[in-house]
């Protein structure tokens, strides 16, 4: 069993995504997609996967977390993020993986699974955010000023 190892992967357009793996490459592959956008993965999320069973991959999406450059929005669309996941999967030589996501990560998980259904063994979603007009309005016009007025 290997402990977590991290690296930057060049995904083009001036972006390098931060990836971290945990467990043995012989384990059941899973990718964790963080919420946000903008937040990134954190060590607490490693506890979601048993390194004796899973080969877990944590990806900080373009412009988020430890990915470079931080906060860059050019060439940063859902389609770009989906293809970044494919680049990570190919780089790590993973044939198929379990896709796990929460909030925005759930939205990205669904987009990835729709684009690459034969690369997905299953999907685990929590706090699903689909990016509908109603959800966006609540998140940015109601919740943000109510819960984080300094960011609004």
């Amino acid at each position: 069993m290997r402990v977590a190892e991290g690296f930057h992967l060049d995904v083009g357009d001036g972006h390098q995504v931060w990836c971290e793996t945990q467990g043995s490459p012989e384990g059941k592959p899973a990718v964790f997609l963080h919420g946000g956008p903008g937040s990134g993965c954190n060590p607490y999320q490693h506890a979601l996967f048993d390194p004796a069973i899973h080969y877990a991959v944590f990806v900080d999406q373009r412009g988020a977390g430890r990915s470079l450059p931080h906060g860059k929005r050019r060439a940063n669309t859902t389609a770009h993020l989906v293809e970044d996941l494919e680049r990570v999967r190919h780089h790590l030589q993973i044939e198929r993986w379990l896709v796990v996501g929460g909030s925005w990560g759930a939205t990205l998980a669904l987009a990835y699974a729709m684009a690459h259904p034969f690369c997905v063994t299953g999907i685990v979603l929590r706090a699903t955010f689909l990016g509908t007009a109603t959800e966006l309005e609540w998140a940015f016009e109601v919740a943000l000023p109510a819960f984080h007025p300094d960011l609004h």
Side-chain angles (χ1 to χ4, degrees):
M1 174 176 53
R2 293 184 350 202
V3 296
E5 296 180 8
F7 60 93
H8 281 103
L9 180 65
D10 187 339
V11 292
D13 306 309
H15 288 274
Q16 295 179 27
V17 296
W18 174 257
C19 303
E20 201 165 12
T21 62
Q22 170 186 284
S24 168
E26 287 75 43
K28 295 179 182 178
V31 62
F32 180 84
L33 306 177
H34 64 77
S39 61
C41 297
N42 68 63
Y44 299 109
Q45 294 155 339
H46 289 217
L48 298 171
F49 302 93
D50 182 344
I53 297 172
H54 296 101
Y55 181 51
V57 181
F58 302 85
V59 179
D60 285 359
Q61 299 151 25
R62 286 182 184 220
R66 293 165 284 183
S67 290
L68 300 173
H70 186 74
K72 186 174 180 182
R73 295 183 352 201
R74 187 182 67 73
N76 191 344
T77 66
T78 304
H80 286 102
L81 301 178
V82 165
E83 290 314 307
D84 291 350
L85 294 172
E86 270 300 275
R87 288 183 180 173
V88 170
R89 188 179 67 77
H90 285 284
H91 177 78
L92 294 173
Q93 300 178 344
I94 294 172
E95 184 178 344
R96 299 173 71 215
W97 53 10
L98 174 68
V99 181
V100 179
S103 189
W104 164 252
T107 308
L108 182 55
L110 290 169
Y112 176 82
M114 288 173 58
H116 301 283
F118 298 109
C119 302
V120 176
T121 58
I123 304 172
V124 178
L125 307 175
R126 67 162 180 81
T128 305
F129 176 82
L130 298 177
T132 64
T134 302
E135 288 175 315
L136 290 167
E137 180 181 338
W138 183 86
F140 296 105
E141 294 180 22
V142 176
L144 188 60
F147 298 109
H148 301 285
D150 54 322
L151 295 175
H152 182 58

